[in-house]
Amino acid sequence: MTTDARSTHVAHGQQTGATTRAVVFDSLGGPEVLKVKEVPLPAPGPGEIQVKVEAIGLNRAEALFRSGGYYYQAALPGSRIGYEAAGVVEAVGEGVTAHAPGDLVLASAGFEFGVYGVHAEHVVGPAEYWVARPPGVDATAGAAAWLTYSTAYGALHETAHIAPGDHVLITGASSGVGTAAIQTVRRAGAIPLVTTRGADKRERLLALGAAEVIVTGTEDLVKEVRRITGGKGADVAFDAIGGEGFATVGDALRPGGTSVLYGWLDAGPVHLSFNWPLTVHAYNNGVPMADPALRDRAAAYLASGIASGTLAPVIAETFDGLDRIGDAHRLMETNRHTGKIVVRLA
């Protein structure tokens, strides 16, 4: 989005002279480009709400965005950033009926985060991009919940239609979405087979519910999946990596299996398996979650799962204060963590 578009958003709400601290960046690069600055905080315009942010969750998309590797580019200088946050509604604009001051909410992503980025102490944006926080969920867990579980739910249930007894191959399983996918598969009565590059995460992933852990740095993915499934192959794959290795993921499926690609940690061309017939979905969570009916189903799935205890956000580490955002991004880039990285603001 252009600088003019950013100005148009600011103009939607009345300028009050108020400001808030927010994470912005003026050039592309590593965590060092992220700065915390005072930015204008307009009053919410029609259809908008103002939220006091209590905690923010980090996603790989933000690292790609600030470094120029995302599927759309930041408008520089002064780009905002951040898809995921938990907070409390402070004010609502004209026509807003879904939220009221005092409501506990989660950012539902789907927005252009160079404009509406929620990594800030207070934010103003369209009410449609916020959902109710499930009862009993604190801000830290809330900031780790929506994007991880809505992605797993949308990809595995709404897209791949997993069923009880399915063997589901999850790559990059130590990520926030990966750990959410393990729980989502378990909740469906299916069997999560997960991958990790190093053996150091094997025990942790087994403790989180993985039925089998395949260490791709030392083990042959296809051979291991065939061994585990009695020669059949997995029914569904949920892949965060793409690139040349996506063909190998497809090779590990049964004939007629389904592969859902939801990320591109390997930025190279995506290679397809010749293990046909094979169904491939390129999944973008923002598209289905823009459908209010599907978003409501995802929210109900999350709330019921947390209430039953079958879903529980896995938090790798927490940082206190917006000024720790660079440290949080540096940890994310090490890939040493398992689960979600959260920065607490309140």
Side-chain angles (χ1 to χ4, degrees):
M1 185 171 282
T2 64
T3 302
D4 287 345
R6 292 206 307 268
S7 299
T8 299
H9 160 60
V10 170
H12 287 170
Q14 180 181 358
Q15 295 304 297
T16 63
T19 63
T20 187
R21 298 174 79 238
V23 180
V24 300
F25 60 103
D26 298 325
S27 60
L28 301 178
E32 71 280 355
V33 304
L34 300 174
K35 309 296 181 186
V36 178
K37 296 183 178 180
E38 291 286 340
V39 300
L41 183 69
E48 293 184 327
I49 64 174
Q50 179 176 312
V51 175
K52 179 183 187 297
V53 177
E54 298 174 303
I56 61 177
L58 267 62
N59 294 283
R60 189 68 58 180
E62 288 132 14
L64 291 168
F65 185 59
R66 60 150 165 78
S67 61
Y70 204 50
Y71 73 91
Y72 59 81
Q73 294 298 301
L76 301 173
S79 177
R80 297 286 290 270
I81 193 169
Y83 262 149
E84 200 155 20
V88 57
V89 177
E90 295 183 301
V92 302
E94 180 183 351
V96 174
T97 59
H99 305 290
D103 285 355
L104 302 179
V105 290
L106 306 175
S108 68
F111 47 84
E112 187 165 341
F113 58 10
V115 177
Y116 295 112
V118 295
H119 290 182
E121 293 178 347
H122 303 263
V123 294
V124 171
E128 66 194 81
Y129 295 140
W130 295 84
V131 297
R133 192 191 310 176
V137 175
D138 65 19
T140 301
W146 176 260
L147 199 56
T148 53
Y149 289 109
S150 68
T151 300
Y153 169 82
L156 294 172
H157 281 290
E158 298 280 350
T159 303
H161 305 293
I162 59 172
D166 280 352
H167 286 90
V168 181
L169 176 62
I170 303 167
T171 69
S174 63
S175 69
V177 174
T179 56
I182 293 172
Q183 296 175 13
T184 300
V185 170
R186 282 286 188 191
R187 190 182 185 198
I191 304 162
L193 315 177
V194 314
T195 76
T196 183
R197 287 183 294 182
D200 56 315
K201 294 183 179 180
R202 182 194 293 272
E203 293 305 317
R204 176 65 170 145
L205 289 169
L206 288 170
L208 289 171
E212 300 278 352
V213 178
I214 301 166
V215 179
T216 55
T218 57
E219 297 175 311
D220 185 291
L221 176 64
V222 177
K223 287 182 179 179
E224 285 299 300
V225 171
R226 298 285 177 196
R227 178 187 64 79
I228 293 164
T229 60
K232 183 186 77 166
D235 300 282
V236 173
F238 183 53
D239 182 48
I241 301 168
E244 185 175 351
F246 190 63
T248 305
V249 170
D251 291 345
L253 296 178
R254 64 168 173 81
T258 298
S259 190
V260 181
L261 177 63
Y262 76 96
W264 59 94
L265 295 179
D266 181 341
V270 175
H271 291 217
L272 296 180
S273 169
F274 286 101
N275 181 23
W276 294 357
L278 172 68
T279 299
V280 175
H281 296 275
Y283 182 79
N284 176 351
N285 197 52
V287 174
M289 292 305 148
D291 176 349
L294 197 154
R295 188 169 61 243
D296 287 347
R297 291 199 296 273
Y301 176 83
L302 173 60
S304 63
I306 287 178
S308 69
T310 55
L311 302 181
V314 178
I315 298 172
E317 189 163 340
T318 58
F319 294 84
D320 288 320
L322 202 58
D323 294 309
R324 298 294 306 281
I325 191 69
D327 295 331
H329 271 249
R330 278 184 277 274
L331 174 60
M332 181 166 58
E333 293 205 334
T334 68
N335 293 314
R336 293 197 307 265
H337 61 289
T338 298
K340 194 82 163 183
I341 300 168
V342 174
V343 179
R344 298 180 295 203
L345 275 63

